[in-house]
Amino acid sequence: MKNFFKLDKPTFSFEIFPPKGAGDLSQIFGTVDALASLDPDLISVTYGAGGTSRENTAEIASRIQRDYAIPALAHLTCVGSTREEMRATLDKLKEKGIQNILAMRGDLGSDETKDFKYASELIKFINENYSFRIFAACYPEKHLEAYSMEEDLEHLRAKCECGVSVLISQLFFDNASFYSFRERARKLGVAAPIEAGIMPITSPTQIGRMVSMCGASVPDGVQKIIRAYGHNSMAMREAGIAYATNQIIDLLAEGVDGIHLYTMNQPDIAKRICENIRGVLYSLRVKRG
């Protein structure tokens, strides 16, 4: 199995989400088949809202490692869990051979937070009891609940001090925001590699939903694309692929540690983007290797 996230080259990874409920997993492995052919450094699997969706996360991540020899990253949220419940979940991930965990708080609901209130508490708990490689989330335009960017960066530094190996950013559409965030994080002493999270724009509805969920700003360039092509699904898809491609090429030129592509389980779009950047990514890997 490949060692993930060598610092002498930019990495390229994908994110997928498991089906809801206890449904057939064959469709998601059709997606994995297509993504695996693109030779990613890692495939991450999101964490369902509960029950079988969470069990699917562990099963899919385990099979990615076993059947495709690609490192997998299992997402894990902690809000609403007791220490005993979290230990049982982590034991299961360990039994399935999972080595990488994206440790997150999760969305706050009406339930009690129980034993974990912040992602940093989960990260500390994992490091004190297990030997997983821990990934964590970061927010180039600050977390929606943070009072200010300064406050959010201080929380990020504290989270990293609990033992984080790699950071993956929330999606963004303005590279300048990412560069500003990265510079400020480094000045605060955040040393972990930062993968830039990129989500290709495929529809105006998708943009609205993502912005409301994560607070990403929509720059003029994206608004122009929506106005010009939002009425035509095929044109919007092509423009979204082109915009994401340009984002990634610019990020690579600026020395980003890695790219994390939010695929939305659409491997055809991921394939198009990979084809567009293959030569650029290869040249950087050869140069740094």
Side-chain angles (χ1 to χ4, degrees):
M1 185 180 295
K2 296 177 292 187
N3 291 320
F4 176 64
F5 225 105
K6 292 182 178 179
L7 295 182
D8 59 354
K9 65 173 185 176
T11 58
F12 198 83
S13 59
F14 299 127
E15 178 177 293
I16 61 174
F17 56 85
K20 294 181 179 179
D24 183 11
L25 295 182
S26 60
Q27 184 173 356
I28 192 63
F29 284 107
T31 298
V32 175
D33 284 340
L35 294 176
S37 70
L38 303 175
D39 194 30
D41 292 292
L42 174 142
I43 296 177
S44 74
V45 187
T46 64
Y47 201 48
T52 52
S53 294
R54 294 184 173 184
E55 294 176 4
N56 285 342
T57 297
E59 177 63 22
I60 294 166
S62 177
R63 288 175 60 179
I64 287 172
Q65 293 195 155
R66 184 189 69 224
D67 299 342
Y68 299 88
I70 295 173
L73 173 64
H75 293 212
L76 180 63
T77 61
C78 62
V79 68
S81 296
T82 65
R83 287 178 175 269
E84 291 73 22
E85 291 169 339
M86 187 55 63
R87 192 180 295 276
T89 298
L90 290 163
D91 286 344
K92 185 171 184 178
L93 290 171
K94 181 179 178 181
E95 289 171 5
K96 285 186 170 291
I98 304 302
Q99 300 175 0
N100 307 300
I101 291 177
L102 178 60
M104 299 176 290
R105 183 196 69 183
D107 296 329
L108 291 175
S110 58
D111 296 337
E112 297 179 6
T113 56
K114 296 187 178 179
D115 289 338
F116 299 94
K117 188 176 181 180
Y118 303 109
S120 57
E121 295 172 339
L122 174 60
I123 293 166
K124 185 177 180 180
F125 179 79
I126 296 173
N127 275 323
E128 288 176 348
N129 296 281
Y130 298 88
S131 58
F132 293 104
R133 181 187 289 113
I134 300 177
F135 292 59
C138 59
Y139 302 85
E141 298 175 270
K142 89 174 183 61
H143 193 284
L144 279 173
E145 297 173 18
Y147 177 74
S148 66
M149 194 68 204
E150 289 76 15
E151 178 189 65
D152 199 37
L153 285 166
E154 287 293 344
H155 289 162
L156 178 63
R157 180 173 65 174
K159 183 162 61 175
C160 288
E161 288 174 350
C162 292
V164 172
S165 297
V166 181
L167 292 167
I168 296 178
S169 88
Q170 181 57 269
L171 66 93
F172 58 91
F173 302 110
D174 183 355
N175 284 6
S177 297
F178 177 83
Y179 299 140
S180 175
F181 157 78
R182 182 177 62 174
E183 180 180 3
R184 294 173 70 177
R186 296 303 187 217
K187 286 182 178 179
L188 274 179
V190 175
I194 304 172
E195 274 204 307
I198 299 297
M199 178 177 286
I201 307 161
T202 58
S203 73
T205 302
Q206 175 202 27
I207 288 288
R209 185 171 62 252
M210 292 300 104
V211 168
S212 65
M213 289 176 60
C214 69
S217 62
V218 183
D220 289 343
V222 174
Q223 294 182 33
K224 288 178 182 178
I225 288 174
I226 294 172
R227 287 195 297 268
Y229 309 114
H231 66 286
N232 185 305
S233 60
M234 183 174 293
M236 186 70 200
R237 179 178 179 274
E238 292 299 309
I241 290 171
Y243 191 90
T245 297
N246 290 333
Q247 265 196 284
I248 292 169
I249 289 173
D250 183 70
L251 287 160
L252 291 171
E254 289 288 337
V256 71
D257 293 316
I259 301 294
H260 189 68
L261 192 65
Y262 295 105
T263 71
M264 301 301 291
N265 290 10
Q266 299 184 69
D268 55 328
I269 293 178
K271 182 178 180 181
R272 287 281 305 281
I273 291 173
C274 286
E275 290 171 348
N276 290 343
I277 68 166
R278 181 175 290 117
V280 173
L281 187 60
Y282 177 76
S283 69
L284 290 174
R285 289 181 167 184
V286 169
K287 180 179 179 181
R288 298 184 190 184

